[in-house]
Amino acid sequence: MSDVDFEVIVVGAGIAGSVTAYRLAALGHEVLLVERGAEPGAKNLSGGVLYSRVMEQVYPAFLEEAPLERRVTRNCLSFLTPTSHVNVDYHDDRLADPTNAVTVLRAKLDPWLVAQAEERGVTVMPGIRVDALLRDGARVVGIRAGEDELRARVVVAADGVNSFLCREAGIATAPPQHHLAVGVKSVIGLPRTTIEERFGLTGDEGAAYAVVGDATRGVGGGGFLYTNLDSLSVGVVLRLDDLTRSGLGSSQVHDAFLEHPMIARFLRDGELQEYGCHLIAEGGLHGMSDLVRPGLVVVGDAAGLTLNTGFTVRGMDLAAGSGIAAATAIDEALRRGDVSAAGLAGYPARLGKSFVGRDMRTYAKAPAFFENPRLYHDYGSLLSDVLYGVYDLDTTPRRHLLPTASTALTHSAVTKRMIIKDGLAAVRAL
């Protein structure tokens, strides 16, 4: 190592970066983990539902030792209109044993992950902004931060969506607007007993709501509501191109969502603890960047590894999966002494065979499906009108469900042909 300061430098101490650094250190490598924030998690607003089984592959005692909030046993899909909501409410004890998903707050989780890496021997440098990549011809050989230069055999770009390092390396320009969304999130503090009463939870059970329709005032995207131990994470994710066309402000849509009667009843008497915005990759498979360059590997959000299936919004588990694949491939490349693009090609190959790559391919058509404007207005209203016809017992004779639904359809902007077309698209995409 006489010609380098570290074998591997990882830039970004989120889940992808921390997992990569931890695994490489466990394999015996000298690793530096650089984080722009003054402390890990300081600049990471995200959090929510983490599908946690992949984390147990890295940290066997993850569920017992990590600072988690609640174990998600209840998942709700909600369709909102301005005056109503229709919920598909799914609760299953099988999601609790073994635990399938947990809610997390990244300001708590990220420092724990970094501490695990430090215990494995990773050198951690917070408060460092990387200004440039160092190169030897086409190969990346380190980083420059201010006047300091640090050299490595491999640099890992884990610097999040709209990655500066990827642009610096010529892997990608700034993502197009239709591959980006803005997330606006509030954390609302409430007593633990109040949360459990309002959501029908006991112990460390948790609930996760995915919301479409009036949640976003017609803008492509959706709302979310997750239960933490003594707070709620609530907000909206808005497709950037559609938000720009709408003329609405992201905070305006967020505030209207929190004021909707369905959401407001959960938040009543709560105290705002945190508020902020964050860019999110929304391109799915088509938004993924190249994963390697000579001396450089890209992981997590920097690689575009996020998935929105309508039922689940995933990024953290994919980030961890990419960290596992990257660490294994980097270890193999270092031991062979070949960190060229060909030498690091084991990473995209491993990632493609893992659940990460397979799921990205399975849901490759999902982003295009969610560009359908009817999902954010017309279908919620149609569902509400059908159920109103079922439950509004006004002493007039009742009709069977099918003619009730047909009447609602005649007053809807949705046609039978649209339903068939959108249904087929949903089957192909989801």
Side-chain angles (χ1 to χ4, degrees):
M1 283 190 40
S2 58
D3 59 334
V4 296
D5 300 290
F6 296 89
E7 286 184 281
V8 183
I9 296 175
V10 181
V11 181
I15 291 178
S18 292
V19 167
T20 305
Y22 177 92
R23 295 278 286 204
L24 282 166
L27 292 166
H29 298 289
E30 294 260 351
V31 183
L32 171 65
L33 180 57
V34 177
E35 166 58 31
R36 181 179 178 184
E39 60 183 42
K43 289 188 170 292
N44 200 328
L45 178 70
S46 76
V49 175
L50 166 57
Y51 296 92
S52 54
R53 291 179 187 172
V54 64
M55 300 300 283
E56 294 178 83
Q57 296 178 17
V58 185
Y59 315 98
F62 181 75
L63 295 176
E64 291 73 34
E65 297 180 1
L68 310 177
E69 296 297 309
R70 292 181 178 272
R71 304 184 188 220
V72 178
T73 57
R74 182 176 166 219
N75 291 271
C76 297
L77 179 62
S78 297
F79 297 86
L80 260 60
T81 74
T83 59
S84 69
H85 61 275
V86 178
N87 286 351
V88 179
D89 194 336
Y90 170 61
H91 179 282
D92 198 324
D93 290 341
R94 292 176 296 178
L95 295 177
D97 187 16
T99 298
N100 174 66
V102 293
T103 53
V104 298
L105 293 169
R106 294 290 294 275
K108 297 180 181 180
L109 179 63
D110 287 14
W112 183 87
L113 293 172
V114 170
Q116 306 312 299
E118 283 188 298
E119 288 181 10
R120 278 289 186 180
V122 174
T123 300
V124 178
M125 292 178 61
I128 302 297
R129 188 184 76 176
V130 175
D131 296 310
L133 293 169
L134 301 181
R135 299 170 185 272
D136 181 2
R139 185 164 69 91
V140 173
V141 295
I143 60 171
R144 180 171 60 79
E147 297 181 356
D148 296 321
E149 294 185 352
L150 294 167
R151 294 182 174 271
R153 304 211 186 285
V154 178
V155 172
V156 178
D159 54 334
V161 65
N162 208 13
S163 166
F164 162 75
L165 293 185
C166 284
R167 297 200 306 275
E168 173 83 1
I171 289 177
T173 57
Q177 279 199 341
H178 69 283
H179 283 173
L180 288 173
V182 58
V184 190
K185 171 188 168 185
S186 292
V187 177
I188 308 294
L190 282 168
R192 178 171 182 163
T193 54
T194 300
I195 292 172
E196 290 166 5
E197 288 170 1
R198 290 183 183 176
F199 289 88
L201 306 171
T202 58
D204 65 350
E205 287 183 335
Y209 280 71
V211 189
V212 295
D214 194 58
T216 56
R217 304 288 297 275
V219 176
F224 60 86
L225 173 62
Y226 308 132
T227 58
N228 305 313
L229 283 174
D230 54 9
S231 66
L232 302 175
S233 296
V234 57
V236 292
V237 176
L238 308 168
R239 210 174 69 234
L240 203 52
D241 61 332
D242 212 21
L243 179 66
T244 301
R245 281 194 296 267
S246 75
L248 296 170
S250 58
S251 59
Q252 180 184 358
V253 179
H254 165 275
D255 294 349
F257 177 58
L258 268 60
E259 292 168 1
H260 190 282
M262 174 197 155
I263 301 300
R265 64 190 174 93
F266 290 128
L267 309 183
R268 188 177 64 253
D269 300 324
E271 178 182 351
L272 179 65
Q273 296 179 342
E274 181 182 338
Y275 174 85
C277 302
H278 184 68
L279 276 180
I280 300 169
E282 283 277 296
L285 184 67
H286 302 294
M288 284 181 61
S289 72
D290 290 345
L291 299 175
V292 297
R293 286 288 190 273
L296 181 71
V297 165
V298 188
V299 295
D301 282 357
L305 296 173
T306 59
L307 272 179
N308 178 6
T309 71
F311 299 97
T312 60
V313 179
R314 297 168 54 193
M316 291 184 281
D317 65 316
L318 304 179
S322 72
I324 293 170
T328 303
I330 292 169
D331 171 64
E332 293 172 346
L334 289 171
R335 295 186 189 282
R336 289 194 306 266
D338 181 5
V339 294
S340 66
L344 292 167
Y347 168 47
R350 285 181 176 277
L351 192 70
K353 293 176 182 177
S354 74
F355 77 93
V356 179
R358 293 165 70 92
D359 287 358
M360 293 295 288
R361 291 192 296 275
T362 295
Y363 295 106
K365 296 181 180 179
F369 174 73
F370 288 116
E371 292 180 7
N372 184 344
R374 290 185 287 275
L375 298 174
Y376 309 108
H377 183 268
D378 299 327
Y379 281 116
S381 297
L382 177 59
L383 279 171
S384 180
D385 289 346
V386 170
L387 292 174
Y388 179 74
V390 170
Y391 289 107
D392 179 38
L393 302 179
D394 58 1
T395 75
T396 59
R398 295 292 89 194
R399 296 183 299 168
H400 286 299
L401 180 60
L402 186 58
T404 299
S406 295
T407 298
L409 190 60
T410 61
H411 295 95
S412 170
V414 178
T415 66
K416 292 180 181 177
R417 183 173 182 176
M418 290 176 184
I419 292 175
I420 293 170
K421 178 183 176 181
D422 293 343
L424 290 173
V427 169
R428 295 188 187 103
L430 306 179

